[in-house]
Amino acid sequence: LVYDATAEVGIQYFLSEVAKEHETPYICRSTTRGTRGGRMDGLMRGSTEGCYVCLGDHLEDAITILPPNKDESDLSEVQPAGCGSQTFTGNNFDASEVTLGGVRMAVSTLMTGIPNGYPQMDWDVAIINLRDNYGNMIPPDWKVHKLKRHPSCSRSH
């Protein structure tokens, strides 16, 4: 299992390719700017239709995955700065929602095929929002998706 918490697109792509090459499950998790939300991705060889490139194309189709700040007018940013960026700010207790979700995904993956093991997930991508479009706090709102091959992807999966 490759568990990626780098929050950096280039590293995520590289690690997803290495995992694919070695037929190893790849799990990625990252928070959005200000820990207003986050995303978990699980690319499992043989059970996930799409690849990391497909994921990026689907996210671009959706325009954005995070609620805007009250004063933001440009919502074109899909990938915010990662945790390693000097400008990244956020708090631990909101980031923990994404971290724990990623751990659940990893345990579910590692327990595949084990009788009475941790339940299997039936999704590949989970997006959480912790704020509404005005920046107000909301209960954790998870949306899950099966990662389908993107129509524009020409890669072999």
Side-chain angles (χ1 to χ4, degrees):
L1 174 79
V2 175
Y3 187 91
D4 178 1
T6 62
E8 203 290 309
V9 175
I11 294 172
Q12 291 170 348
Y13 173 74
F14 172 75
L15 290 176
S16 72
E17 287 295 302
V18 170
K20 179 180 171 185
E21 183 179 312
H22 292 279
E23 298 188 6
T24 301
Y26 170 78
I27 293 174
C28 171
R29 65 128 201 108
S30 58
T31 61
T32 57
R33 268 178 292 146
T35 57
R36 299 165 69 86
R39 194 179 81 228
M40 298 179 311
D41 315 312
L43 305 179
M44 312 305 164
R45 189 76 173 153
S47 65
T48 303
E49 277 186 45
C51 64
Y52 189 80
V53 174
C54 292
L55 174 64
D57 289 342
H58 283 298
L59 290 173
E60 281 192 33
D61 290 348
I63 304 299
T64 185
I65 62 164
L66 66 155
N69 290 324
K70 291 179 189 177
D71 57 351
E72 280 188 274
S73 58
D74 178 17
L75 301 179
S76 62
E77 182 179 338
V78 173
Q79 173 64 35
C83 300
S85 301
Q86 290 181 341
T87 58
F88 182 84
T89 59
N91 56 63
N92 186 345
F93 50 86
D94 282 335
S96 293
E97 293 280 349
V98 180
T99 301
L100 292 173
V103 170
R104 292 176 71 218
M105 182 182 261
V107 171
S108 175
T109 301
L110 292 170
M111 298 293 289
T112 298
I114 296 177
N116 301 316
Y118 197 74
Q120 282 302 126
M121 60 191 173
D122 62 351
W123 42 269
D124 305 306
V125 178
I127 297 171
I128 186 173
N129 280 311
L130 301 170
R131 306 278 180 96
D132 66 14
N133 288 339
Y134 301 101
N136 300 314
M137 183 178 62
I138 60 173
D141 179 25
W142 286 100
K143 302 266 190 289
V144 296
H145 309 275
K146 290 291 284 179
L147 180 58
K148 303 286 185 191
R149 183 182 185 123
H150 193 273
S152 68
C153 188
S154 60
R155 306 176 85 219
S156 64
H157 292 117

